[in-house]
Amino acid sequence: EASCVPVVFTTHAPPQCPCVSCEFHPDMTSPPATPRAGSAGSPSAVPPASPGSAAPAPVATGAWGTGQSRSVIVASGVVLWFVPFLVSCFLVSPSGEVRLPEAYFKTIMHVVAGALASYLFLRVKMTTARAGAIVGGIWAGINVLLDLLVLIPLFANQSGKGLTPAGYMEQLPRWFFGIALNYTVGPVTGWLSGASYERGVASCVKKTK
């Protein structure tokens, strides 16, 4: 009488990174099932490293040493400005009066902007500290530009002087000390994000040797 004998199939998969995402390391992750450009099975794929050899440095697939294109990075900077601005529209009356105590208003805006910036930094995937600083600087520049085009004219209108050169210039100190100085955190946060990624990859490579 025939009996069912279990058959065990064994494979030798490449070592998996135990600590960070290694999608920038073709030799440290299993190849995808469907070959695509730049992946396993594609002519442009990076061949696996031989046993005992060091893993290659992170490979940036996007612009400025990141994992995204320039259009996505710029669009993310616009989103980073627009979402806090939209939230503030519900907290400030058309006449410019804040509907909450000023401390509460500032706390809400900092939480919204900080949480959104952290999410966007994660999505863009800075592979180096330099890439993070560049992206943070670009986003800070976008926010400054949109403030000069939209926010300061709104301040001038609310002050009662309208869109006049004198009314516009009068609002610049208020904007600079109350808002613009906060944007200096962008490049610093981006640099720290990229540096953390670099350290995580270095630790990952050591554990896989």
Side-chain angles (χ1 to χ4, degrees):
E1 183 179 351
S3 60
C4 180
V5 179
V7 179
V8 179
F9 296 94
T10 60
T11 59
H12 298 279
Q16 297 295 321
C17 176
C19 51
V20 297
S21 171
C22 290
E23 55 195 278
F24 291 103
H25 294 269
D27 64 313
M28 296 172 64
T29 57
S30 299
T34 303
R36 58 184 179 182
S39 62
S42 168
S44 60
V46 178
S50 58
S53 63
V59 178
T61 59
W64 299 304
T66 68
Q68 297 291 348
S69 64
R70 293 185 180 184
S71 58
V72 171
I73 294 173
V74 172
S76 298
V78 175
V79 170
L80 184 58
W81 178 88
F82 180 74
V83 172
F85 174 76
L86 183 63
V87 172
S88 70
C89 291
F90 294 95
L91 304 177
V92 179
S93 66
S95 62
E97 296 292 332
V98 180
R99 296 189 173 102
L100 297 173
E102 186 176 358
Y104 293 171
F105 174 77
K106 289 184 176 180
T107 299
I108 291 174
M109 298 308 299
H110 287 159
V111 169
V112 171
L116 181 60
S118 299
Y119 172 76
L120 292 175
F121 274 123
L122 181 64
R123 294 289 297 175
V124 169
K125 299 175 184 176
M126 275 71 67
T127 58
T128 64
R130 177 178 177 274
I134 290 175
V135 172
I138 291 172
W139 287 355
I142 291 173
N143 277 258
V144 168
L145 178 62
L146 291 175
D147 279 358
L148 294 176
L149 295 177
V150 179
L151 196 59
I152 296 182
L154 286 177
F155 287 167
N157 271 333
Q158 292 169 354
S159 68
K161 295 187 176 181
L163 291 177
T164 62
Y168 188 95
M169 296 301 295
E170 184 179 289
Q171 298 303 319
L172 284 178
R174 172 191 173 188
W175 165 78
F176 180 79
F177 292 105
I179 298 176
L181 287 179
N182 294 323
Y183 296 148
T184 59
V185 178
V188 176
T189 304
W191 183 88
L192 291 173
S193 178
S196 298
Y197 186 93
E198 285 186 300
R199 293 188 64 179
V201 168
S203 175
C204 180
V205 170
K206 288 182 180 179
K207 291 183 179 181
T208 54
K209 285 184 178 180

